Amino acid sequence: MKKIEAIIKPFKLDDVREALSEVGIAGMTVSEVKGFGRQKGHTELYRGAEYMVDFLPKVKLEIVVPDEQVERCIDAIMETAQTGKIGDGKIFVTTVERVIRIRTGEENEDAV
């Protein structure tokens, strides 16, 4: 099993969720996060004063899937989250050793 973590622009969340649903993903965890990379933030005006916004709002998706679904998930995220502009985000894929459903005690793929 693999854990896919995707950092995307907030306005792309509904499109990505729908695309993942179409490839068979039934659940995910979504967090509102802030960060920066090459985008380096931007300046905003507040009451006539300009100030720097270092951390930009993003959305983090976390999905645990069987190995055979990884590429379909990545493709779905890439196709829907990509705008072609700086700040589109990143996808991280890591190995998951064990998953346990607390309610039933089911493990691994049965628990996902």
Side-chain angles (χ1 to χ4, degrees), residues 4-110:
I4 299 171
E5 293 179 70
I7 311 293
I8 62 172
K9 291 181 175 183
F11 69 90
K12 287 292 192 174
L13 176 60
D14 287 336
D15 294 339
V16 171
R17 183 193 51 78
E18 194 173 302
L20 287 169
S21 181
E22 288 173 11
V23 296
I25 301 305
M28 68 182 74
T29 301
V30 178
S31 307
E32 292 181 5
V33 296
K34 291 183 179 206
F36 73 92
R38 289 188 182 149
Q39 235 176 327
K40 302 271 195 277
H42 64 279
T43 58
E44 286 189 6
L45 224 60
Y46 179 72
R47 294 188 176 182
E50 195 174 270
Y51 68 100
M52 185 70 183
V53 178
D54 290 329
F55 294 100
L56 300 170
K58 301 286 181 179
V59 172
K60 179 180 179 181
L61 307 175
E62 295 175 87
I63 311 154
V64 177
V65 297
D67 290 343
E68 57 272 7
Q69 282 190 308
V70 171
E71 289 307 315
R72 279 183 287 169
C73 287
I74 291 171
D75 291 344
I77 295 167
M78 288 286 295
E79 288 171 16
T80 1
Q82 192 174 56
T83 67
K85 297 189 172 96
I86 196 166
D88 276 351
K90 297 238 183 339
I91 299 173
F92 304 95
V93 181
T94 54
T95 301
V96 174
E97 291 184 25
R98 190 172 176 198
V99 177
I100 303 163
R101 185 185 311 265
I102 295 172
R103 178 175 55 87
T104 62
E106 292 170 297
E107 292 201 26
N108 300 323
E109 290 183 11
D110 292 334

